[in-house]
Amino acid sequence: MKKKTRKYIFVVGGVISGVGKGITTSSIGKILQSHGYKVTAMKIDPYVNVDAGTMNPTEHGEVFVLKDGDETDQDMGNYERFLGTSLSRDNYMTTGRVYLSVIEKERALAYKGKCVQVVPHIPYEVIDRINHAVDKAGAEIVVIEVGGTVGEYENILFLETARMLKIKNPDDVLFAIVSYLPTPNTVGEMKTKPTQHAVRALNSTGIQPDFIIARSNTALDEKRKEKLALFCNVTPESVISAPDVESIYDVPGNFEKDKLGDKILKRLKLKSRGTSEAWREWEGFVRKSHSAKDEVRIAVVGKYFDTGDYVLADSYLSIIEALKYSAISQGKKAKLVWLSATTFEGKNPPLSELIGFDGILVPGGFGSRGVEGKLNVIRYAREHKIPYFGICYGMQLAVIEYARNVLGYKDATSREIDPKSKHLIIDIMEGQKENMEKGNMGGSMRLGAYPAVLGKGSIARTAYGEDKIVERHRHRFEVNPEYVEALEEKGLVFSGKSPDGKLMEIAELPTSAHPFFLGTQFHPEFEARPLSPHPIFTAFIKAAIVRGKGK
Ligand code: GLN
């Protein structure tokens, strides 16, 4: 029997983080897919947290939730979107997760009396996890991103794992280092030295990179390619110029211009199987994304923007991408403006600023900071008929706003904000009470995919074109069933409910009352893909376009 193809590509970082290792990993996956291979992608994060769920988004960016409920790094979202697939918890690991399972196995005598050591047992555990993920995905090639940069203590064991795998399977393992080439203003010349040092640091772990993905402001010239080749032990063709691009979706195409797909396949002793249909579709999407000119202006009102003196929208990455796809599908460019919720609090909040927008979105969130500002914004959007889309907390707050200002429950709130209030419109789920009391906060929310049933004639049902859906969740609180009847009597429609009718999944106003006022308890952004924009995002964008035209 012919041996099944199983190839491993490790993507590591050099010099600084944040220069596109995740996009490189996704793009390498994409181009190998385009050559006809079954590809999966994995992320190894060096931190000790078992998952990303317990971290503040300003600390670590968005928490991306997988179908199976795993709370992971935002790069997992990039892989899913680029590869057009859904990944599982097997595709994600952290130092904490790996150690936890080794310790649990040790406690269960799984090592049969052996002395359990950091090396080799931790690398063996990582290799087992990689192979398990490949088996589960039925993949021929796995692209594995190692978090952090080379030279850090944190990821050293993961590099050791990669080295061990290479020694055992020399033709099946390949390394790419994504490194940064700065052009200091005072010098005016692109510098290769930091990358040379990064490659040397990688060499000191026993690993020689096969490819250098050279990230820089502008394209690399031949001179720099040759220099890097000479000092880093690679051929000039193995230095891939990766200048800044307008859109991350240009990256796979740029890699292909450099024939990176063919070069990788050759190194792995594989042959191209011809261009796949999915690649043609992808190229169509990229073309369309560039030809879209007119803007649809969306205000995103949230609170996880500020880190020190910088404003980072990373916490809402999937929402940004989902809005982009839906806008592109309508031939438009999504122009997103970040508004901090707290600026809409206090005596005279600048709410009239909102009138200029075609749509307003309030994303997910936690805690009470900024809540009153969001409620003011939601009320304004409802009363001024500005298309409104609330996601998770944005849905819960829309229901609270309705209870306060339409039903007249002035103290309506969520238990998360004020547990002493008489009108807890949003309350804790039974099963969650115990978690909270025991301080069991990690991985214990309502997480991952759950089904919902949609009501006839609703915006949601029309958008999806079907009456049963499955969407990803991440929340502890729910619409309190005690108030559902009163809210519905006053015109709020719960158009999506759990199959047993107990949990409210979507709240909306009929189009006779408002052009688009809708909130989802789930996170539709995690299911949006470039080639299949999410129907609710598209419905929201369509309503925003209509408003834009009328202005
Ligand atoms: N804080 C809310 C809850 O836990 C909403 C969570 C969210 O927006 N992801 O239910």
Side-chain angles (χ1 to χ4, degrees):
M1 208 176 78
K2 212 175 139 238
K3 202 176 148 247
K4 265 179 94 186
T5 305
R6 174 168 300 213
K7 305 284 181 179
Y8 310 82
I9 300 174
F10 286 91
V11 178
V12 302
V15 182
I16 53 171
S17 64
V19 288
K21 224 168 354 120
I23 298 302
T24 300
T25 304
S26 309
S27 300
I28 288 177
K30 185 81 211 164
I31 58 181
L32 294 172
Q33 237 184 13
S34 83
H35 284 271
Y37 283 88
K38 185 122 183 29
V39 180
T40 194
M42 296 180 76
K43 172 96 196 242
I44 305 181
D45 263 328
Y47 49 73
V48 180
N49 304 55
V50 172
D51 57 43
T54 50
M55 276 182 273
N56 187 317
T58 49
E59 186 85 10
H60 182 261
E62 172 184 87
V63 176
F64 188 83
V65 182
L66 304 181
K67 260 203 163 77
D68 61 17
D70 201 13
E71 298 172 279
T72 70
D73 180 76
Q74 60 188 33
D75 276 322
M76 296 292 283
N78 286 323
Y79 311 158
E80 285 202 351
R81 291 185 281 265
F82 275 65
L83 299 179
T85 185
S86 291
L87 301 170
S88 82
R89 63 177 67 244
D90 300 301
N91 292 64
Y92 185 64
M93 68 182 108
T94 66
T95 294
R97 191 170 289 193
V98 172
Y99 271 82
L100 191 63
S101 50
V102 169
I103 292 167
E104 277 168 2
K105 282 182 191 167
E106 184 275 328
R107 293 288 79 185
L109 273 180
Y111 295 99
K112 300 196 168 81
K114 279 222 169 66
C115 170
V116 184
Q117 292 176 294
V118 168
V119 177
H121 294 100
I122 297 295
Y124 283 166
E125 172 69 24
V126 176
I127 291 172
D128 281 352
R129 283 171 167 261
I130 294 172
N131 283 326
H132 181 65
V134 175
D135 287 341
K136 203 159 159 194
E140 296 165 297
I141 304 176
V142 55
V143 194
I144 306 148
E145 177 182 351
V146 180
T149 44
V150 295
E152 288 170 10
Y153 283 116
E154 284 205 313
N155 56 20
I156 204 91
L157 279 172
F158 300 118
L159 298 177
E160 174 64 1
T161 303
R163 187 197 64 77
M164 284 166 62
L165 203 59
K166 171 86 179 176
I167 284 300
K168 291 246 164 89
N169 312 273
D171 290 336
D172 300 334
V173 180
L174 182 150
F175 296 102
I177 180 166
V178 182
S179 192
Y180 184 62
L181 284 84
T183 306
N185 283 340
T186 44
V187 185
E189 188 197 359
M190 192 188 289
K191 294 305 217 180
T192 62
K193 195 61 67 64
T195 296
Q196 294 180 39
H197 283 299
V199 170
R200 232 162 264 174
L202 187 60
N203 288 157
S204 73
T205 68
I207 292 172
Q208 167 61 36
D210 296 276
F211 292 97
I212 298 174
I213 312 294
R215 287 281 297 112
S216 49
N217 296 343
T218 54
L220 243 69
D221 58 6
E222 283 312 307
K223 188 163 169 208
R224 256 136 287 258
K225 276 195 180 179
E226 276 160 22
K227 215 167 167 183
L228 278 180
L230 182 65
F231 294 118
C232 301
N233 303 315
V234 294
T235 60
E237 299 74 59
S238 305
V239 180
I240 307 295
S241 168
D244 290 348
V245 280
E246 198 187 312
S247 148
I248 52 173
Y249 302 104
D250 293 333
V251 176
N254 281 357
F255 281 172
E256 273 309 70
K257 275 189 209 137
D258 243 336
K259 300 242 173 304
L260 182 59
D262 284 330
K263 290 177 190 173
I264 289 177
L265 290 176
K266 195 168 159 206
R267 207 47 87 84
L268 292 173
K269 298 197 167 29
L270 297 173
K271 285 205 170 62
S272 174
R273 295 171 180 161
T275 311
S276 67
E277 183 50 39
W279 179 250
R280 276 185 274 272
E281 272 181 53
W282 174 267
E283 285 190 309
F285 160 77
V286 175
R287 264 197 306 279
K288 208 167 167 197
S289 73
H290 287 295
S291 62
K293 290 272 174 305
D294 291 347
E295 286 179 349
V296 46
R297 283 171 52 80
I298 307 293
V300 182
V301 184
K303 69 168 180 179
Y304 302 118
F305 301 137
D306 313 323
T307 86
D309 287 344
Y310 300 89
V311 174
L312 259 181
D314 250 27
S315 324
Y316 305 109
L317 191 65
S318 295
I319 291 180
I320 300 174
E321 298 310 303
L323 287 167
K324 274 193 207 163
Y325 307 152
S326 288
I328 291 167
S329 78
Q330 302 305 306
K332 304 272 183 200
K333 252 193 164 63
K335 165 88 182 143
L336 309 184
V337 178
W338 307 99
L339 301 177
S340 191
T342 46
T343 58
F344 295 100
E345 291 178 344
K347 265 221 168 103
N348 286 310
L351 289 162
S352 55
E353 266 180 31
L354 298 169
I355 234 22
F357 290 97
D358 302 331
I360 296 172
L361 188 149
V362 172
F366 294 87
S368 52
R369 186 167 68 86
V371 154
E372 292 304 319
K374 288 181 192 172
L375 287 166
N376 285 337
V377 167
I378 297 168
R379 178 177 194 172
Y380 194 85
R382 185 175 55 77
E383 291 180 346
H384 292 78
K385 304 209 185 316
I386 306 172
Y388 173 76
F389 186 10
I391 296 179
C392 207
Y393 217 13
M395 176 266 204
Q396 296 176 354
L397 294 172
V399 178
I400 292 173
E401 187 278 319
Y402 207 77
R404 280 192 189 180
N405 302 313
V406 179
L407 277 68
Y409 303 152
K410 288 293 164 218
D411 62 343
T413 191
S414 164
R415 184 179 288 276
E416 182 174 5
I417 303 163
D418 178 11
K420 290 198 200 80
S421 160
K422 252 191 25 229
H423 291 101
L424 291 175
I425 303 294
I426 306 297
D427 206 351
I428 188 111
M429 298 188 284
E430 251 333 288
Q432 286 294 346
K433 275 191 188 148
E434 208 183 310
N435 284 332
M436 299 280 274
E437 276 156 23
K438 288 188 179 154
N440 175 16
M441 304 301 270
S444 65
M445 282 187 253
R446 183 176 182 224
L447 290 167
Y450 286 91
V453 185
L454 305 180
K456 269 205 190 98
S458 60
I459 301 178
R461 168 86 179 258
T462 313
Y464 281 100
E466 48 201 326
D467 55 5
K468 282 194 197 71
I469 57 164
V470 176
E471 291 280 2
R472 303 185 197 186
H473 291 247
R474 183 174 187 249
H475 56 105
R476 234 178 261 285
F477 299 86
E478 299 280 351
V479 173
N480 186 342
E482 281 175 30
Y483 292 100
V484 167
E485 213 183 297
L487 288 158
E488 288 201 313
E489 248 166 42
K490 290 278 184 200
L492 193 65
V493 179
F494 288 103
S495 58
K497 294 183 183 175
S498 59
D500 64 6
K502 287 190 181 142
L503 304 174
M504 301 304 118
E505 295 278 9
I506 306 177
E508 62 178 80
L509 285 179
T511 44
S512 54
H514 192 289
F516 187 97
F517 188 89
L518 183 145
T520 61
Q521 181 59 81
F522 50 83
H523 288 269
E525 69 272 25
F526 297 141
E527 290 285 344
R529 306 276 183 267
L531 303 184
S532 53
H534 193 284
I536 300 262
F537 276 91
T538 306
F540 170 59
I541 287 289
K542 280 184 180 164
I545 292 171
V546 170
R547 175 177 163 82
K549 276 197 192 124
K551 274 197 303 201

